[in-house]
Amino acid sequence: MAAAFRARLDRWPPAPASGSTRIGIVIPPWLESAVPFFSMECAIRLSADAEVTLIWDPSNIHFNRVPAHEVEGIRQGLAQIGKWLAVIDAGKGPSDGEMDRGLIETLLHENAVARTLGEQKAGEISERHAASVDEMARHGGRIRALLKSQRFDWILIPGGVWGASGIYCRMAAEAGVHFTTYDCGDGILFLAHDGVAAHFADMTAAFPQVLRESDGVAGQRERMVAVARAELATRMQGTDLYRLQPKPAGQATEETWDILLPLNYRSDSAAMCRQRLFTSVGDWLRQVLAWMQTQPGVTLAIRQHPCEKIEEFRGSDRWDELVAGYGLGARCRFIAAADDVNTYDLLARTRVVLPCTSRVAIEAGMFGKPVILGWETYYEDCGFATRAESVPEYFEMISRALRGELPPPAGAVEAAAVAYYLAEKCFGLETGFTPSPNDFVHWVGRAPDELWAAPENALLLDALVSRQSLAVLQNRRFASA
């Protein structure tokens, strides 16, 4: 990849213009993807309108070590770009104290969860790297000093949790420096301003803005709701892109449950660093199961994320063994990923939904079910869920909901549908220009002018330069179609 990108640099104009806005672009040594080269490509294009500095950070933070020859390949690309743009080595500057060690330990643990595909083995790897916490804390101090000295208007950060990217997000927020993060899958790119893209952090700003812009536009709200319902229907029937449901919803079932607890795919970054009332998924399950022991007659279904039936996504946590240890018998069922159960049949036949950060919570809102939140979620301000502020309040709310004393807020079904529309259709930009290796091999050979002139990439550039929500921009395109 490094050689192909260096060849591409010869096709760029040799002297980009610059503007008054100061942008920092973080370049990590992540060659399991094309992240460094995607960021460099964005840096060169943004330099036509801004003063851009590349922040090269090869530090071994949170299992970030890569082979020396791969790091050298990135360095050579930076040397070429250095003829046009400033390049700073983040590991060589002065330090401004240390980063909070508790924060470092949280990030270290979450990265260990991603590496071991679960929480139960993450503690072992965190302990083996305990000595590196000091260096991580010092590196956070160097990043703090860099951000203070450079006075960037904003910085572009890949990821937001993995490796050193989580440190950049925390230090930027602490220093009052705006930042934008990105994430991707094959053919799809996610972007968020002042939050983590994988967490859909732009929902807080995008949701009310989209509602305001739809006011007074005949049929616009109805169109969004119709798109959401159509998308939900494909999920329910298992005909969506992912096809995770083992059978269509609506087939005969006798199971009814008071509470449905849908688990996230724990090692996915969308569920990382989302703790609020509970320290971990394990802590959350233990407290819910212990509460269940005090609630005779209440039933609970715990649904493992169906993606874990696929070998490459199979987690290492044995939540089924944890559940069995509480002796709840038929009152509690752990429904494994491979079980012949459609999640939406469970949702239709439950009374209360307790998500972590699962999108099933939005679907529950569309079903008119009470949704109670104990984690940081991107949809918590969208008007269909209830947020508990303490653990006692969390369980009190569950009891109230089971007694019928905590109905969904007024307008919850429509609000959930709009949130679902945004999550499904507006937060992800469908484009072949992503850091995915499968996409890189195609875009690296395209002429720069041609690549950036594509409508979807022009929209990406608009979101970066204007710092408007990509979801809002995509909704406007949908509304004008």
Side-chain angles (χ1 to χ4, degrees):
M1 284 191 286
F5 187 75
R6 291 199 302 274
R8 174 181 182 75
L9 292 177
D10 294 334
R11 307 177 70 180
W12 269 101
S18 63
S20 59
T21 301
R22 301 199 70 242
I23 304 172
I25 310 287
V26 178
I27 310 293
W30 298 348
L31 276 189
E32 66 272 14
S33 71
V35 162
F37 309 116
F38 180 88
S39 290
M40 290 184 209
E41 178 79 14
C42 290
I44 299 170
R45 180 60 187 85
L46 287 167
S47 69
D49 305 295
E51 181 184 344
V52 174
T53 298
L54 284 82
I55 305 169
W56 166 233
D57 195 339
S59 307
N60 178 28
I61 301 294
H62 302 331
F63 330 118
N64 209 31
R65 188 179 300 282
V66 296
H69 72 276
E70 294 186 355
V71 172
E72 181 57 30
I74 303 173
R75 288 186 193 276
Q76 291 175 17
L78 290 170
Q80 282 183 254
I81 297 176
K83 299 173 183 176
W84 309 335
L85 306 175
V87 180
I88 297 174
D89 189 327
K92 294 184 177 179
S95 178
D96 182 8
E98 294 187 349
M99 185 176 174
D100 177 77
R101 289 166 186 268
L103 213 49
I104 288 287
E105 289 171 356
T106 297
L107 288 169
L108 175 62
H109 174 75
E110 293 298 295
N111 277 264
V113 168
R115 184 163 182 167
T116 61
L117 302 182
E119 289 185 351
Q120 294 172 348
K121 293 182 179 180
E124 301 172 10
I125 196 168
S126 294
E127 288 176 7
R128 291 202 301 271
H129 288 78
S132 64
V133 171
D134 289 344
E135 175 53 32
M136 294 175 191
R138 287 192 292 269
H139 190 61
R142 286 191 289 269
I143 293 171
R144 179 191 289 127
L146 184 152
L147 294 177
K148 284 184 177 180
S149 66
Q150 292 296 316
R151 299 183 181 277
F152 295 117
D153 290 293
W154 63 276
I155 59 176
L156 181 65
I157 306 169
V161 175
W162 177 252
S165 68
I167 299 177
Y168 277 92
C169 289
R170 300 306 176 95
M171 291 296 94
E174 179 187 295
V177 176
H178 291 296
F179 61 93
T180 295
T181 65
Y182 67 80
D183 214 316
C184 80
D186 287 350
I188 190 163
L189 186 75
F190 299 92
L191 200 73
H193 300 307
D194 296 319
V196 178
H199 297 163
F200 287 14
D202 269 7
M203 181 68 89
T204 301
F207 182 81
Q209 185 170 346
V210 165
L211 288 181
R212 287 194 302 270
E213 292 182 2
S214 70
D215 286 341
V217 181
Q220 176 62 9
R221 193 78 60 87
E222 291 78 7
R223 287 179 69 195
M224 291 189 287
V225 171
V227 169
R229 287 176 176 164
E231 184 65 25
L232 177 57
T234 66
R235 292 287 185 100
M236 292 175 65
Q237 298 309 305
T239 56
D240 60 297
L241 175 64
Y242 304 104
R243 299 181 180 274
L244 294 176
Q245 299 304 324
K247 60 184 178 182
Q251 297 186 4
T253 177
E254 299 300 322
E255 294 188 17
T256 60
W257 300 94
D258 293 321
I259 302 169
L260 172 63
L261 190 155
L263 292 171
N264 280 77
Y265 172 45
R266 181 62 182 94
S267 59
D268 190 337
S269 62
M272 292 166 70
C273 289
R274 299 287 83 197
Q275 296 91 337
R276 187 166 60 82
L277 299 186
F278 308 99
T279 60
S280 65
V281 171
D283 173 46
W284 176 44
L285 289 178
R286 290 182 186 93
Q287 294 207 46
V288 170
L289 292 166
W291 176 82
M292 282 287 297
Q293 290 178 319
T294 70
Q295 305 294 312
V298 175
T299 60
L300 167 68
I302 299 175
R303 174 54 158 154
Q304 185 179 30
H305 197 296
C307 78
E308 292 199 42
K309 66 185 177 184
I310 302 170
E311 179 63 32
E312 64 183 292
F313 296 116
R314 192 160 298 149
S316 60
D317 292 317
R318 298 305 306 267
W319 300 129
D320 53 341
E321 295 177 1
L322 174 67
V323 171
Y326 280 79
L328 295 169
R331 289 203 299 122
C332 179
R333 179 181 172 189
F334 179 83
I335 302 170
D339 285 355
D340 189 31
V341 175
N342 186 298
T343 302
Y344 300 97
D345 286 333
L346 295 173
L347 190 55
R349 299 171 67 84
T350 194
R351 297 168 61 196
V352 183
V353 178
L354 306 180
C356 178
T357 64
S358 173
R359 198 169 301 182
V360 173
I362 311 181
E363 296 164 338
M366 293 174 68
F367 272 72
K369 304 291 182 177
V371 177
I372 301 172
L373 306 177
W375 297 75
E376 297 288 354
T377 66
Y378 60 92
Y379 44 74
E380 63 186 36
D381 295 321
C382 293
F384 62 85
T386 304
R387 171 185 163 112
E389 299 301 331
S390 67
V391 171
E393 185 182 44
Y394 183 75
F395 290 109
E396 179 198 5
M397 284 180 171
I398 298 172
S399 297
R400 289 175 56 200
L402 291 174
R403 294 194 300 267
E405 299 171 2
L406 194 68
V413 173
E414 182 184 80
V418 173
Y420 199 63
Y421 155 74
L422 287 173
E424 292 290 333
K425 297 299 183 182
C426 296
F427 277 95
L429 177 67
E430 294 183 2
T431 173
F433 176 48
T434 82
S436 161
N438 293 330
D439 291 332
F440 173 81
V441 297
H442 299 291
W443 67 255
V444 73
R446 296 180 66 183
D449 287 347
E450 176 192 340
L451 177 69
W452 286 97
E456 64 275 15
N457 300 334
L459 197 68
L460 167 63
L461 183 62
D462 187 6
L464 290 170
V465 172
S466 68
R467 295 193 55 75
Q468 296 183 78
S469 165
L470 180 60
V472 170
L473 296 177
Q474 293 224 83
N475 174 64
R476 288 175 185 165
R477 183 167 64 172
F478 168 79
S480 64

Coordinates of all heavy atoms in Angstrom, one line a residue, residues 160-203:
G160 N -10.9 6.9 17.3 CA -11.4 7.6 18.4 C -11.3 6.9 19.7 O -11.4 7.5 20.8
V161 N -11.0 5.6 19.6 CA -10.8 4.7 20.8 C -9.6 3.9 20.7 O -8.8 3.8 21.6 CB -12.1 3.8 21.1 CG1 -11.8 2.9 22.2 CG2 -13.3 4.7 21.4
W162 N -9.4 3.3 19.5 CA -8.3 2.4 19.2 C -7.0 3.1 19.3 O -6.8 4.2 18.8 CB -8.5 1.6 17.9 CG -7.4 0.7 17.6 CD1 -6.4 0.9 16.6 CD2 -7.1 -0.5 18.2 NE1 -5.5 -0.1 16.6 CE2 -5.9 -1.0 17.6 CE3 -7.6 -1.2 19.3 CZ2 -5.3 -2.2 18.0 CZ3 -7.0 -2.4 19.7 CH2 -5.9 -2.9 19.0
G163 N -6.0 2.4 19.8 CA -4.6 3.0 19.8 C -4.5 4.3 20.5 O -5.2 4.6 21.5
A164 N -3.7 5.2 20.0 CA -3.5 6.5 20.5 C -4.7 7.5 20.2 O -4.8 8.5 20.7 CB -2.2 7.2 20.0
S165 N -5.6 7.0 19.3 CA -6.7 7.9 18.9 C -7.6 8.3 20.0 O -8.0 9.5 20.1 CB -7.5 7.3 17.8 OG -8.2 6.2 18.2
G166 N -7.8 7.4 21.0 CA -8.6 7.8 22.2 C -7.9 8.9 23.0 O -8.6 9.7 23.6
I167 N -6.6 8.9 23.0 CA -5.9 9.9 23.8 C -6.1 11.3 23.1 O -6.3 12.3 23.7 CB -4.4 9.5 23.9 CG1 -4.3 8.2 24.7 CG2 -3.6 10.7 24.6 CD1 -2.8 7.7 24.8
Y168 N -6.0 11.3 21.8 CA -6.1 12.5 21.0 C -7.5 13.1 21.3 O -7.7 14.3 21.5 CB -5.9 12.3 19.5 CG -4.5 12.3 19.2 CD1 -3.7 11.2 19.1 CD2 -3.8 13.6 18.9 CE1 -2.3 11.2 18.8 CE2 -2.5 13.6 18.5 CZ -1.7 12.4 18.5 OH -0.4 12.5 18.2
C169 N -8.6 12.3 21.2 CA -9.9 12.8 21.5 C -10.1 13.4 22.8 O -10.6 14.5 23.0 CB -10.9 11.6 21.3 SG -11.2 11.1 19.6
R170 N -9.5 12.7 23.9 CA -9.6 13.2 25.2 C -8.8 14.5 25.4 O -9.3 15.4 26.1 CB -9.2 12.1 26.2 CG -10.0 10.8 26.1 CD -11.5 11.1 26.3 NE -12.2 9.8 26.1 CZ -12.6 9.0 27.1 NH1 -12.4 9.4 28.4 NH2 -13.3 8.0 26.9
M171 N -7.6 14.5 24.9 CA -6.8 15.7 25.0 C -7.3 16.9 24.3 O -7.3 18.0 24.7 CB -5.4 15.4 24.6 CG -4.6 14.4 25.5 SD -4.4 15.1 27.2 CE -5.8 14.4 28.1
A172 N -7.9 16.6 23.1 CA -8.5 17.7 22.3 C -9.7 18.3 23.0 O -9.9 19.5 23.1 CB -8.9 17.2 20.9
A173 N -10.6 17.4 23.6 CA -11.7 17.9 24.3 C -11.3 18.7 25.5 O -11.9 19.8 25.8 CB -12.6 16.7 24.7
E174 N -10.2 18.3 26.2 CA -9.7 19.0 27.4 C -9.2 20.3 27.0 O -9.3 21.3 27.7 CB -8.6 18.1 28.0 CG -8.0 18.8 29.3 CD -6.8 18.0 29.8 OE1 -7.0 16.8 30.2 OE2 -5.7 18.5 29.7
A175 N -8.5 20.4 25.9 CA -7.9 21.7 25.4 C -8.8 22.6 24.7 O -8.5 23.7 24.3 CB -6.7 21.4 24.5
G176 N -10.1 22.1 24.5 CA -11.0 23.0 23.8 C -10.8 23.1 22.3 O -11.2 24.0 21.6
V177 N -10.1 22.0 21.7 CA -9.8 22.0 20.3 C -10.9 21.1 19.6 O -11.1 19.9 20.1 CB -8.4 21.4 20.0 CG1 -8.2 21.3 18.5 CG2 -7.3 22.3 20.7
H178 N -11.6 21.6 18.6 CA -12.5 20.8 17.9 C -11.8 19.6 17.2 O -10.7 19.7 16.8 CB -13.3 21.6 16.9 CG -14.2 22.6 17.5 ND1 -15.3 22.3 18.3 CD2 -14.2 24.0 17.5 CE1 -15.9 23.3 18.7 NE2 -15.3 24.4 18.3
F179 N -12.5 18.5 17.1 CA -11.9 17.4 16.3 C -13.0 16.6 15.6 O -14.2 16.8 15.9 CB -11.2 16.4 17.3 CG -12.1 15.8 18.4 CD1 -12.7 14.6 18.2 CD2 -12.3 16.4 19.6 CE1 -13.5 14.0 19.1 CE2 -13.1 15.9 20.6 CZ -13.7 14.6 20.4
T180 N -12.6 15.9 14.6 CA -13.5 15.1 13.7 C -12.8 13.7 13.7 O -11.6 13.6 13.5 CB -13.6 15.7 12.3 OG1 -14.3 17.0 12.4 CG2 -14.4 14.8 11.4
T181 N -13.7 12.7 13.8 CA -13.2 11.3 13.7 C -13.9 10.6 12.6 O -14.9 11.0 12.1 CB -13.5 10.5 15.0 OG1 -14.9 10.4 15.2 CG2 -12.9 11.2 16.2
Y182 N -13.2 9.6 12.1 CA -13.8 8.8 11.0 C -13.6 7.3 11.3 O -12.7 6.9 12.0 CB -13.3 9.1 9.6 CG -11.8 8.8 9.4 CD1 -11.4 7.5 9.0 CD2 -10.9 9.8 9.4 CE1 -10.1 7.3 8.8 CE2 -9.5 9.6 9.2 CZ -9.1 8.3 8.8 OH -7.8 8.0 8.6
D183 N -14.5 6.5 10.7 CA -14.4 5.0 10.8 C -15.0 4.5 9.5 O -15.5 5.3 8.7 CB -15.2 4.5 12.0 CG -14.6 3.3 12.6 OD1 -14.2 2.4 11.8 OD2 -14.5 3.2 13.9
C184 N -14.9 3.2 9.2 CA -15.4 2.7 7.9 C -15.6 1.2 8.0 O -15.2 0.5 8.8 CB -14.3 3.1 6.8 SG -12.9 1.9 6.8
G185 N -16.3 0.8 6.9 CA -16.4 -0.6 6.5 C -16.2 -0.6 5.0 O -16.0 0.5 4.4
D186 N -16.2 -1.7 4.4 CA -16.0 -1.7 2.9 C -17.1 -0.9 2.3 O -18.3 -1.2 2.5 CB -16.1 -3.1 2.4 CG -14.8 -3.9 2.7 OD1 -13.8 -3.3 3.2 OD2 -14.8 -5.2 2.5
G187 N -16.8 0.1 1.5 CA -17.8 0.9 0.8 C -18.6 1.8 1.6 O -19.6 2.4 1.1
I188 N -18.3 2.1 2.9 CA -19.0 3.0 3.7 C -18.1 3.7 4.7 O -17.2 3.1 5.3 CB -20.2 2.3 4.4 CG1 -21.1 3.3 5.1 CG2 -19.6 1.3 5.4 CD1 -22.5 2.7 5.4
L189 N -18.3 5.0 4.8 CA -17.5 5.9 5.7 C -18.4 6.6 6.7 O -19.5 7.0 6.4 CB -16.8 6.9 4.8 CG -15.8 7.8 5.6 CD1 -14.5 7.0 5.9 CD2 -15.4 9.0 4.8
F190 N -17.9 6.6 7.9 CA -18.6 7.3 9.0 C -17.8 8.5 9.5 O -16.5 8.4 9.6 CB -18.9 6.4 10.2 CG -19.8 5.2 9.8 CD1 -19.2 4.0 9.4 CD2 -21.1 5.3 9.8 CE1 -20.0 2.9 9.0 CE2 -21.9 4.2 9.4 CZ -21.4 3.0 9.0
L191 N -18.4 9.6 9.8 CA -17.7 10.8 10.2 C -18.5 11.4 11.4 O -19.7 11.4 11.4 CB -17.7 11.8 9.1 CG -16.7 12.9 9.1 CD1 -15.3 12.4 8.8 CD2 -17.1 14.0 8.0
A192 N -17.8 12.0 12.4 CA -18.5 12.7 13.5 C -17.6 13.8 13.9 O -16.4 13.7 14.0 CB -18.7 11.7 14.7
H193 N -18.2 14.9 14.3 CA -17.5 16.1 14.8 C -17.6 16.1 16.3 O -18.7 16.0 16.9 CB -18.2 17.4 14.2 CG -18.1 17.5 12.7 ND1 -17.0 17.3 12.0 CD2 -19.1 17.7 11.8 CE1 -17.2 17.5 10.7 NE2 -18.5 17.7 10.6
D194 N -16.5 16.3 16.9 CA -16.4 16.4 18.4 C -16.9 15.1 19.1 O -17.5 15.2 20.2 CB -17.0 17.6 18.9 CG -16.3 18.9 18.4 OD1 -15.1 18.9 18.4 OD2 -17.0 19.9 18.0
G195 N -16.7 14.0 18.5 CA -17.2 12.7 19.1 C -16.6 11.6 18.2 O -15.9 11.8 17.2
V196 N -16.9 10.4 18.7 CA -16.4 9.2 18.0 C -17.4 8.7 16.9 O -18.6 8.5 17.2 CB -16.2 8.0 19.0 CG1 -15.7 6.8 18.3 CG2 -15.1 8.5 20.1
A197 N -16.9 8.6 15.7 CA -17.8 8.2 14.6 C -18.5 6.9 14.8 O -19.7 6.8 14.4 CB -17.0 8.2 13.3
A198 N -17.8 5.9 15.3 CA -18.4 4.6 15.6 C -19.5 4.7 16.6 O -20.3 3.8 16.7 CB -17.3 3.6 16.0
H199 N -19.5 5.7 17.4 CA -20.6 5.9 18.4 C -21.7 6.7 17.8 O -22.7 7.1 18.6 CB -20.0 6.6 19.6 CG -19.0 5.9 20.4 ND1 -18.2 6.5 21.3 CD2 -18.6 4.6 20.3 CE1 -17.3 5.5 21.8 NE2 -17.6 4.4 21.2
F200 N -21.7 7.1 16.6 CA -22.7 8.0 15.9 C -22.9 9.3 16.8 O -24.0 9.7 17.0 CB -24.0 7.3 15.8 CG -24.0 6.2 14.7 CD1 -22.9 5.8 14.1 CD2 -25.2 5.7 14.3 CE1 -22.9 4.8 13.1 CE2 -25.3 4.7 13.3 CZ -24.1 4.3 12.7
A201 N -21.7 9.9 17.1 CA -21.8 11.0 18.0 C -22.5 12.2 17.5 O -22.9 13.1 18.2 CB -20.3 11.4 18.4
D202 N -22.6 12.3 16.2 CA -23.3 13.4 15.6 C -24.8 13.4 15.8 O -25.5 14.4 15.4 CB -23.0 13.5 14.1 CG -21.8 14.3 13.7 OD1 -21.1 14.8 14.7 OD2 -21.5 14.6 12.5
M203 N -25.4 12.3 16.3 CA -26.8 12.2 16.5 C -27.4 13.4 17.3 O -28.4 13.9 17.1 CB -27.2 10.9 17.1 CG -28.7 10.7 17.2 SD -29.7 10.6 15.7 CE -29.6 8.8 15.4

